């Protein structure tokens, strides 16, 4: 039985990855931060199957002793401060978690478990103000936020440890991926949750920022499969994971309101400058040909199916909550 250590297991991707690894027969160990309240909502259904260890990416010793005790075959580093707007408000902390945190995990592996295979959760935000369309593994980075800058560091330190110490360390450059488990501050979930609340009469408006930004959105369940496939290869290599299709925030909003039977979004959506960013990433669209060719990876959920599944899940959830009260 293989052992996988997952940082960020309480996040959206951590929950889908843990499900996949359990299905594949792994012993799954999740690193969580100590909190005074329970924040394990996304993995509540897995608590009997996953082992938890307490640690923090800010704390080198905790990471090193966890890697030593768990003796993982594979390490998935998903933990990060992942919300882009928060990275302007807390740039130093974002750098500590999202950039230096990667070095702490790599250092731990190098020192006590060099045979472990390492996956780094890199991001399309590294492409930022894109220098070519579509973006591939060789496209130059031009990050537009402290988050994007921190992810560029995480990417290159992963490449550097692979080349310096011969570790099996890979960087998955994943474009936006969403689900019913996405945090409610990210735009897709903010929209699906807002639509559900409007549908059930809890509010009459949804305040958003830039509706013209374009993203290559996929389904998180499809994307964690790519993470796992990257660590099953013979040689460590980096991959772009994307659908190859791009849509505007406006497209997402329009389909979401239509799916809920609310008609035109224009009746409900207001523009609020508080949600506009100091520097925007206007257009992302990835070319995942290498992953298709070498990993046999294909996304299974389309953009339209994704919007629909998120809106339906939030409408059902809000209806169930209202029924309870
Ligand atoms: P998420 O839902 O925000 O989850 C982030 C996870 O990181 C949570 O489990 C969080 O724990 C943990 N964490 C944060 N700071 C930590 C620290 N100092 N020590 C230990 N754990 C810490 O993010 P996600 O959407 O699942 O994304 C997973 C990873 O992929 C992230 O690295 C993200 O930057 C990257 N990524 C995401 C996307 C996307 O579209 N989703 C695309 C490309 C890359 P708590 O529950 O305790 O807060
Ligand atoms: O914004 C626009 C906003 O916050 C998407 C993270 O997982 O994916 C994510 O980063 C777009 C931006 O995601 C609102 O300006 C308009 O252009 O959902 P988001 P993100 O910034 O693309 C990448 C790949 C990651 O790696 C990150 O960790 O939507 N937008 N109005 C809005 N965005 C938000 N959040 N809220 C709004 O009201």
């Amino acid at each position: 039985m293989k052992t996988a250590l997952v940082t960020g297991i309480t996040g959206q991707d951590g929950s889908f990855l843990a499900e996949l690894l359990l299905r594949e027969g792994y012993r799954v160990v999740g690193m969580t931060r100590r909190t005074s309240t329970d924040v394990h909502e996304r993995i509540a259904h897995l608590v009997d199957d996953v082992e938890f260890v307490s640690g923090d990416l800010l704390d080198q010793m905790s990471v090193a002793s966890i890697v030593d005790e768990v003796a993982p075959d594979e390490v998935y580093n998903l933990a990060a401060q992942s919300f882009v707007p928060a990275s302007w408000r807390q740039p130093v902390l974002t750098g500590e978690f999202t950039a230096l945190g990667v070095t702490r995990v790599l250092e731990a592996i190098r020192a006590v478990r060099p045979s472990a295979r390492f996956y780094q959760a890199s991001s399309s935000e590294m492409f930022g103000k894109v220098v070519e369309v579509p973006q591939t593994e060789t496209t130059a980075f031009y990050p537009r936020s402290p988050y994007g800058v921190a992810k560029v560091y995480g990417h290159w330190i992963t490449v550097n440890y692979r080349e310096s110490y011969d570790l099996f360390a890979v960087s998955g450059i994943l474009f936006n991926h969403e689900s019913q488990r996405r945090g409610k501050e990210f735009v897709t979930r903010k929209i699906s949750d807002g639509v559900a609340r409007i549908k059930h009469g809890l509010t009459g408006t949804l305040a958003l920022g830039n509706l013209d930004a374009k993203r290559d959105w996929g389904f998180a369940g499809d994307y964690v499969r790519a993470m796992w496939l990257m660590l099953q290869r013979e040689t460590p290599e980096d991959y772009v994971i994307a659908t190859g299709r791009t849509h505007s925030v406006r497209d997402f909003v329009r389909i979401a309101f239509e799916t809920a039977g609310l008609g035109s979004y224009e009746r409900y959506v207001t523009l609020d400058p508080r949600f506009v960013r100091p520097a925007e990433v206007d257009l992302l669209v990835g070319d995942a040909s290498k992953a298709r060719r070498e990993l046999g990876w294909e996304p299974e959920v389309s953009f339209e199916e994704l919007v629909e599944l998120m809106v339906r899940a939030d409408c059902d959830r809000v209806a169930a909550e209202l029924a309870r009260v």
Side-chain angles (χ1 to χ4, degrees):
M1 186 190 242
K2 278 202 217 170
T3 296
L5 173 63
V6 182
T7 74
I9 195 162
T10 55
Q12 170 189 258
D13 290 5
S15 68
F16 282 104
L17 180 66
E19 287 170 359
L20 177 146
L21 293 168
L22 289 168
R23 277 197 306 274
E24 293 293 332
Y26 281 68
R27 167 185 171 230
V28 180
V29 183
M31 187 183 94
T32 58
R33 300 190 273 184
R34 195 247 154 213
T35 50
S36 62
T37 51
D38 185 9
V39 289
H40 295 179
E41 187 187 323
R42 293 191 183 97
I43 45 165
H45 59 299
L46 302 177
V47 287
D48 294 333
D49 303 312
V50 171
E51 291 172 37
F52 294 99
V53 287
S54 182
D56 198 303
L57 280 191
L58 297 183
D59 187 56
Q60 178 74 67
M61 277 304 287
S62 71
V63 178
S65 56
I66 285 169
V67 172
D68 192 25
E69 283 157 27
V70 172
D73 300 291
E74 295 173 8
V75 178
Y76 296 85
N77 184 39
L78 309 186
Q81 191 302 94
S82 76
F83 188 46
V84 172
S87 76
W88 276 285
R89 289 193 295 275
Q90 298 186 310
V92 176
L93 192 63
T94 299
E96 284 286 350
F97 285 11
T98 305
L100 282 178
V102 187
T103 312
R104 294 191 186 99
V105 181
L106 284 165
E107 266 298 275
I109 292 173
R110 183 184 71 80
V112 300
R113 187 75 177 168
S115 62
R117 294 184 168 206
F118 175 77
Y119 172 85
Q120 166 57 16
S122 290
S123 165
S124 52
E125 281 293 299
M126 301 191 300
F127 297 122
K129 192 172 176 181
V130 297
V131 300
E132 67 178 343
V133 178
Q135 296 84 51
T136 71
E137 291 79 6
T138 55
T139 302
F141 300 137
Y142 189 153
R144 291 275 275 174
S145 63
Y147 168 82
V149 173
K151 282 288 180 187
V152 171
Y153 174 93
H155 171 82
W156 283 118
I157 200 72
T158 302
V159 174
N160 181 260
Y161 269 55
R162 176 168 78 220
E163 293 175 355
S164 305
Y165 302 115
D166 207 21
L167 296 184
F168 193 111
V170 306
S171 165
I173 306 175
L174 271 53
F175 283 61
N176 298 54
H177 45 278
E178 318 291 317
S179 73
Q180 64 279 27
R181 297 182 198 162
R182 186 59 140 151
K184 284 187 192 156
E185 67 275 39
F186 297 93
V187 79
T188 55
R189 185 74 199 288
K190 184 174 170 182
I191 296 166
S192 62
D193 178 62
V195 163
R197 287 159 50 76
I198 291 171
K199 169 99 180 156
H200 290 285
L202 297 177
T203 182
T205 56
L206 174 61
L208 294 171
N210 177 13
L211 299 187
D212 296 318
K214 289 183 153 181
R215 290 289 183 277
D216 181 331
W217 276 297
F219 173 59
D222 287 340
Y223 284 45
V224 298
R225 194 159 25 86
M227 297 176 186
W228 177 72
L229 286 169
M230 284 179 220
L231 293 198
Q232 311 315 308
R233 294 272 303 163
E234 223 162 86
T235 50
E237 286 192 41
D238 307 324
Y239 293 89
V240 157
I241 300 299
T243 70
R245 291 175 69 204
T246 192
H247 293 91
S248 64
V249 174
R250 193 184 304 281
D251 292 336
F252 197 107
V253 171
R254 185 177 43 75
I255 299 175
F257 276 88
E258 285 169 6
T259 299
L262 289 168
S264 171
Y265 71 88
E266 285 162 342
R267 288 174 56 201
Y268 307 100
V269 171
T270 59
L271 300 184
D272 187 332
R274 280 179 308 151
F275 299 117
V276 175
R277 301 177 180 186
E280 178 63 287
V281 172
D282 294 319
L283 164 73
L284 290 174
V285 56
D287 176 353
S289 307
K290 182 180 174 193
R292 261 200 303 279
R293 211 172 44 245
E294 296 182 7
L295 303 176
W297 179 84
E298 288 281 356
E300 284 173 10
V301 177
S302 72
F303 174 73
E304 292 74 15
E305 287 166 341
L306 175 67
V307 182
E308 209 176 305
L309 85 82
M310 291 180 70
V311 170
R312 296 216 185 286
D314 272 323
C315 285
D316 290 350
R317 179 185 54 79
V318 171
E321 280 168 14
L322 286 174
R324 268 201 300 278
V325 290

